[in-house]
Amino acid sequence: MDLNKLLSDIKEEHKQRIVKENPNRQPASLVAAVAPDLVCLGSGGFGAVFELPDEADKVIRVSFHQFDNWFKAAQYGYRNEDTNFIKVYEIYENGILSIAKIERLEEYGNHALYVALREILERYDETLDIKPVYEHAQFMIANKTKGWTMDHLNSLLNLRKHMITTNQRYRWDCYARNFMMRGDQLVITDPIS
């Protein structure tokens, strides 16, 4: 599949919807208009994920990258070779839209992780006291939050440091659906918005 051509077609569809004052400009809708055979696996306001017909072990994510911090987190993980983040193979950009070819992962769905992470990361952002963050993370490991390790916490804290030092705005978005599994390894897929 030619992802550059797909991205160009999506961008043109987006322009046409602006001209026609069509308010539905969500990525899933744009892709459906230009590539109706692509199967959507999940979508949100700024991004959508689709099966990649010729590569079963990969998927593509289509996003408005200027609004979607997913790309910032994915690129950070890629540049730092952090295996706790999703693996990115290719990124194509065209104006405000981007397509990333990424690894295909399995669902995680552990709501307990979201509740615990939201609490500890937001508390850390407020106090910058690392001790309770590490204590809570160790509690999560002891209570066998599936796949969670201290390395995951360190990856998230390093991402936070990167976002701050590069003056990028973010907020934590550590919902259970933003973690997936690579075999038996927990993977951080979309930790910030």
Side-chain angles (χ1 to χ4, degrees):
M1 170 174 271
D2 183 345
L3 296 180
N4 267 323
K5 168 113 175 64
L6 177 61
L7 185 58
S8 179
D9 292 347
I10 295 167
K11 185 175 180 181
E12 186 57 37
E13 177 68 20
H14 183 254
K15 285 182 189 176
Q16 291 303 315
R17 290 184 182 201
I18 291 171
V19 169
K20 295 176 184 174
E21 297 183 5
N22 182 340
N24 188 355
R25 297 187 200 123
Q26 291 187 332
S29 175
L30 295 168
V31 173
V34 299
D37 293 341
L38 286 181
V39 175
C40 184
L41 299 173
S43 67
F46 300 122
V49 176
F50 298 87
E51 285 185 351
L52 193 55
D54 47 349
E55 298 181 65
D57 62 333
K58 296 176 182 73
V59 295
I60 56 173
R61 180 176 176 109
V62 179
S63 288
F64 290 103
H65 63 258
Q66 70 188 58
F67 304 116
D68 188 3
N69 276 337
W70 179 89
F71 276 94
K72 292 174 186 167
Q75 287 172 328
Y76 170 82
Y78 175 77
R79 280 193 307 271
N80 292 287
E81 298 179 3
D82 188 333
T83 59
N84 289 320
F85 289 100
I86 195 163
K87 187 182 292 183
V88 178
Y89 297 100
E90 301 170 33
I91 294 179
Y92 302 88
E93 294 184 26
N94 188 341
I96 63 170
L97 289 161
S98 293
I99 291 180
K101 185 190 291 188
I102 56 178
E103 68 181 312
R104 186 176 191 143
L105 301 168
E106 299 299 319
E107 287 188 28
Y108 178 64
N110 184 336
H111 187 70
L113 176 65
Y114 159 67
V115 172
L117 272 179
R118 190 178 95 189
E119 178 184 324
I120 65 176
L121 291 171
E122 288 176 358
R123 183 186 312 158
Y124 178 67
D125 281 346
E126 290 172 10
T127 66
L128 297 180
D129 182 1
I130 198 68
K131 186 178 177 191
V133 173
Y134 278 123
E135 287 173 357
H136 200 85
Q138 288 170 336
F139 172 80
M140 291 166 61
I141 293 169
N143 285 289
K144 299 181 177 41
T145 302
K146 184 180 172 187
W148 177 257
T149 68
M150 292 300 285
D151 286 343
H152 290 93
L153 177 62
N154 288 327
S155 292
L156 289 170
L157 294 179
N158 288 334
L159 172 62
R160 177 193 183 278
K161 181 179 179 182
H162 166 75
M163 296 299 286
I164 290 170
T165 58
T166 56
N167 294 319
Q168 297 182 64
R169 298 181 77 172
Y170 76 98
R171 77 175 172 81
W172 291 113
D173 195 26
C174 293
Y175 293 98
R177 69 177 181 271
N178 292 336
F179 290 83
M180 298 186 87
M181 298 299 288
R182 177 190 300 128
D184 60 355
Q185 181 190 358
L186 180 69
V187 178
I188 304 165
T189 60
D190 194 5
I192 56 176
S193 65

